[in-house]
Amino acid sequence: MATKIVIVGLEKSGKSTIANFLAKHESALSLDEYVPTEIVRIMSFSVPMRTGQLKVSLWDSNDTNEHLLPGFSRDCEGLIIVFDPSRPEESYTKYLNAFQHLDRKCVVVMVHKREEDTIQIMLPGELQRFQNLTTSLNNDEEKQNIHNLFMRLVQGVVES
């Protein structure tokens, strides 16, 4: 059985770009072109662990179907919240409520799509308690950082 990890965030926040990168769909690493996810896109892949390969089922969700969040959270073992710095006033409470059982298995990724987004923006208080990082996936260091954050999340899921 695969470890289920769900990616949530506002529409056009970069969820699919992050999912594509983590699942190694390198050809789709563009933050410039927006292609909406229908309802959910499930990507299956394996990640290397000390004990062998771990199968991961990464659920890339669409923000417009809020009523489906409880179903997405069922059997979910890890959560990635993609924060959009161009809309810092938006609330993420709906995700935190739907996935409250994952309070310790959640990370936040702030995706900068434009150069002007790189100004320092504080995460909303409701997201500050989670491990987080800022990225645009523009260079190897940023790509390595998101990969490392994901692997820490997966390791936390495995160890619990």
Side-chain angles (χ1 to χ4, degrees), residues 22-24 44-49 53-57 150-151:
L22 294 174
K24 298 189 178 8
S44 297
F45 56 98
S46 295
V47 295
M49 304 297 289
Q53 294 289 314
L54 177 72
K55 292 184 102 175
V56 173
S57 176
F150 179 70
M151 291 307 295

Side-chain angles (χ1 to χ4, degrees), residues 1-60:
M1 188 158 152
T3 299
K4 179 180 175 183
I5 297 177
V6 176
I7 298 181
V8 297
L10 302 176
E11 183 179 29
K12 298 182 183 179
S13 61
K15 298 179 298 293
S16 294
T17 300
I18 297 298
N20 289 339
F21 172 74
L22 294 174
K24 298 189 178 8
H25 288 266
E26 294 285 345
S27 62
L29 275 181
S30 174
L31 287 169
D32 298 325
E33 181 183 337
Y34 176 67
V35 179
T37 302
E38 288 297 321
I39 294 174
V40 66
R41 182 174 59 127
I42 302 171
M43 305 169 84
S44 297
F45 56 98
S46 295
V47 295
M49 304 297 289
R50 280 175 253 173
T51 57
Q53 294 289 314
L54 177 72
K55 292 184 102 175
V56 173
S57 176
L58 187 62
W59 290 43
D60 175 15

Side-chain angles (χ1 to χ4, degrees), residues 33-155:
E33 181 183 337
Y34 176 67
V35 179
T37 302
E38 288 297 321
I39 294 174
V40 66
R41 182 174 59 127
I42 302 171
M43 305 169 84
S44 297
F45 56 98
S46 295
V47 295
M49 304 297 289
R50 280 175 253 173
T51 57
Q53 294 289 314
L54 177 72
K55 292 184 102 175
V56 173
S57 176
L58 187 62
W59 290 43
D60 175 15
S61 67
N62 177 321
D63 180 58
T64 59
N65 296 298
E66 185 176 335
H67 65 284
L68 297 175
L69 286 175
F72 292 164
S73 73
R74 189 172 300 117
D75 299 323
C76 183
E77 299 175 74
L79 180 66
I80 300 171
I81 298 175
V82 179
F83 175 75
D84 185 347
S86 69
R87 297 179 277 175
E89 71 289 345
E90 295 287 339
S91 174
Y92 290 77
T93 304
K94 63 184 175 185
Y95 308 120
L96 299 176
N97 288 341
F99 294 89
Q100 59 186 315
H101 66 287
L102 297 174
D103 196 45
R104 296 180 182 242
K105 298 175 197 153
C106 178
V107 297
V108 177
V109 177
M110 186 183 321
V111 177
H112 291 291
K113 298 178 206 165
R114 301 177 312 257
E115 191 64 38
E116 58 268 21
D117 287 341
T118 59
I119 58 170
Q120 195 66 10
I121 293 179
M122 292 288 294
L123 287 173
E126 61 192 354
L127 299 180
Q128 288 181 2
R129 68 181 183 266
F130 303 115
Q131 289 185 63
N132 64 80
L133 67 79
T134 301
T135 189
S136 60
L137 292 173
N138 280 338
N139 61 53
D140 289 340
E141 181 181 1
E142 288 187 352
K143 291 176 183 179
Q144 187 63 50
N145 289 342
I146 186 78
H147 173 76
N148 292 344
L149 182 70
F150 179 70
M151 291 307 295
R152 284 194 304 273
L153 173 64
V154 170
Q155 188 67 39

